[in-house]
Every structure is written in structure tokens, then in C-alpha cells.
Amino acid sequence: MRYIIIGAGAVGGTVGGRLAQAGREVVLVARGQHLAALAERGLKLRVPEGESTHRLPAVEGPEPLGELRADDVLLLAVKTQDTVAALEAWGEAPVAGGGTAAERLPLVCLQNGVESQRLALRRFRQVYGVCVWLPSTFVEPGVVSAAGTPLTGILHLGRYPHGTDDTARRIAADLAAARFEAPVVPDVARWQYAKLLGNLGNALEAVSGPVDSEQAMALYARVRAEGEAVLDAAGIAYASAEEQKEARADKVTLVPLDGSPRGGSSWQSLVRGTGTIEADHLNGEIVLLGRLHGTPTPLNELLQRLANRYAREHRPAGSLPIAELVRLAEEAVGAADR
């Protein structure tokens, strides 16, 4: 199979680089300065065992590839706010032998949140979800870093909305050869909702910095508790903390990488100054479900609003003092109680 990585950033670039190292055929899809760097210098992958450069085909869209191959796999790794544009660009791409990508090719959603695969299933017949546990960073064009060892990441994989099949198992085997663990599971959404709860801290980190102080950790615990209450009210199952701990064990240990900053995906969006952020599909997913099921979510509403403002106004990552964020949180909760 040939892997077309739509969105060769932190997650997509790492998966693409590791697959290339394992001898799989890879095409990278990017835009702007990142695409220019990939075309000129190749993909620089920084991992604990060293740095490598991979000169892989890099394109902005499907046109340069001509007809796609019947054995192509589309790995969608853009941020969720960019999903619709990516689906529009690739869904109608012709496939050798007839038909389009949306009709014939598997689309694998390597993304945070749960919305992209729902969007994809409106257009693509074969959609696969992945619970992405892959600490990685992309803040410099042409360069991605992944600090995990001995495995680079753990990627629970399954057909969406549920089930497994031979395609999922073939993809998982290739990922396993590329230093990932990729359990094929029939209930991938259950793992993704568990990951969503963890990702509710992304906006907190983006606007106020690392979630490592007593104040920050206490606030995150309250934000997560809102999320759990909403999922429970909606009757949505999610993997327990014990299941996740057992699945990950000590398989992915983070080590410092010289010259590679560490921060979550939302923090990276602010650092790169993209002007957008994924908060609408992380904290905003909890807000949506809370409104549908009558459960208040003032803290997630606050983080969603602040993250969007910081991205839109190009404010520096981590520039809101945590004490000020806590004050705003108390005001939000107080207003919701009135």
C-alpha cells in the first residue's frame, strides 16, 4: 500500500517518516512554507535514536499525483478545522480503474477529537478512526519531532463507527513495523472519547502554559470533570483511566530532544501563528454535548472562547497568567450558577 499523509505536521509527519523508515511508500501533503521546505530539503525527523532526513514526494493536493492507485491509503492528519477542505480536495480525486477516492479508498482519521470521522463518513465509504497517543511536535517548516521510546506512539485503530476488517489489520501491521503499537479494536470511538477528555487541557496549556502547577492541575481536573459528566449524561462510553494506563504501560517514555520544544497540538498552533485552533472540536465538543443533554459546561466554554481568541488575535502561547485564568474560571462558574 502507498500512504498519502494529508497534513504532514506533528502527527502526520511523524507517522509518514516512520513508515518511510520501515520501507513503506509515502507521499506527504502540506502547504505553504512547510511544503516548500519538504520539497527543497526533505522531511527532517527527530527521534530519540537520532535525526534523519527523508526525501519523499510532497504535494499540496491530488492533482500532481494524477490518478490515485487502487492500493492507496489516505491518512488524514490535518487539524479538525481543516477537515472539510481536505475532504473536498481529495474525495473527488480519480482512482485508476474508475471511481473516486471517496468511493474506493480507505480514509484513516489520525486526529484529535471525534468530529472528523463523522464529517468523513458523509463523503467517504471506508472511514477508519484512530485514537492517537503520539507525543510529537511541529513548529518549524520541514521538521517534526517525536520524543517517545521504545515505541514512538500507540494508535488504537478501527473501522468507523465500529468494527474491524482486513484493511485495518494491514494498516496496523505496517504501523507496527514502523515503531508504533496499533491495536485493532472494534470500539475505536470508546478510546477516542477517553482521549478527548485528556485533550480538554490543550486549550489550558495553549493560553496559560504547561499544566504543571498546583493551580493549573486543579483547574484541569475541574475541566475534565465537566467532560466526564457530559459524556455520562449523553450515555457515551469511554475507556477508563485504568484501561488506558494498562494499554500504554511503559511503552512510550518521553526523552528530551535537543532543540525540540515540547507542547501539545493547540500550543503548537499558537506558536506557529496559524490563526486557527482546534478548541471548537475539543472543549467545544463537550460544550455541544452539554447543551444537547442539559449539563452545564462553563469551564469548557471559557477555554474554547479564550483559545479561539488567542488564535484569532495571534496572541503568544502561554501568555495568560494561570492566576488570571483561575479568576476567569471562577467568574464563569459563578455566572452559570446564577
Side-chain angles (χ1 to χ4, degrees), residues 51-128:
E51 186 177 288
S52 58
T53 298
H54 304 274
R55 295 195 172 276
L56 304 169
V59 299
E60 189 169 12
E63 291 79 11
L65 299 177
E67 282 190 323
L68 301 182
R69 297 178 355 196
D71 65 348
D72 281 339
V73 175
L74 305 181
L75 297 186
L76 185 63
V78 299
K79 294 290 196 300
T80 302
Q81 62 267 27
D82 298 320
T83 289
V84 170
L87 295 174
E88 289 175 348
W90 288 87
E92 292 302 308
V95 178
T100 66
E103 294 168 330
R104 295 189 56 197
L105 299 185
L107 179 81
V108 182
C109 296
L110 277 166
Q111 297 161 289
N112 284 333
V114 296
E115 180 64 15
S116 276
Q117 53 215 10
R118 295 195 295 230
L119 295 170
L121 202 59
R122 289 181 171 92
R123 300 167 185 257
F124 279 74
R125 291 176 181 171
Q126 301 179 66
V127 176
Y128 299 80

Side-chain angles (χ1 to χ4, degrees), residues 164-234:
T164 63
D165 59 18
D166 287 341
T167 298
R169 286 184 280 272
R170 290 177 65 199
I171 295 168
D174 282 346
L175 291 170
R179 299 182 72 110
F180 296 98
E181 184 171 293
V184 178
V185 295
D187 55 350
V188 68
R190 195 171 67 89
W191 290 89
Q192 290 174 310
Y193 276 105
K195 175 74 184 310
L196 173 65
L197 293 173
N199 285 145
L200 298 181
N202 286 22
L204 198 165
E205 178 195 43
V207 301
S208 287
V211 184
D212 54 10
S213 69
E214 185 175 337
Q215 279 186 305
M217 289 188 289
L219 179 56
Y220 166 67
R222 295 169 64 192
V223 171
R224 182 187 174 100
E226 275 189 2
E228 291 176 347
V230 163
L231 295 186
D232 292 342

Side-chain angles (χ1 to χ4, degrees), residues 215 219 302 320-333:
Q215 279 186 305
L219 179 56
L302 172 66
L320 179 66
I322 186 62
E324 175 63 10
L325 179 56
V326 170
R327 185 189 68 78
L328 293 173
E330 296 302 339
E331 287 184 358
V333 170

Side-chain angles (χ1 to χ4, degrees), residues 4-13 28-30 34 75-79 86 90:
I4 299 176
I5 313 292
I6 305 171
V11 169
L28 303 178
V29 181
H34 188 42
L75 297 186
L76 185 63
V78 299
K79 294 290 196 300
W90 288 87

Side-chain angles (χ1 to χ4, degrees), residues 148-163:
T149 189
L151 293 177
T152 301
I154 300 176
L155 308 171
H156 285 77
L157 167 69
R159 189 84 184 239
Y160 182 80
H162 48 72

Side-chain angles (χ1 to χ4, degrees), residues 38-62:
L38 293 174
E40 180 181 348
R41 301 187 297 273
L43 173 70
K44 183 180 292 185
L45 177 64
R46 293 174 175 162
V47 291
E49 65 266 26
E51 186 177 288
S52 58
T53 298
H54 304 274
R55 295 195 172 276
L56 304 169
V59 299
E60 189 169 12

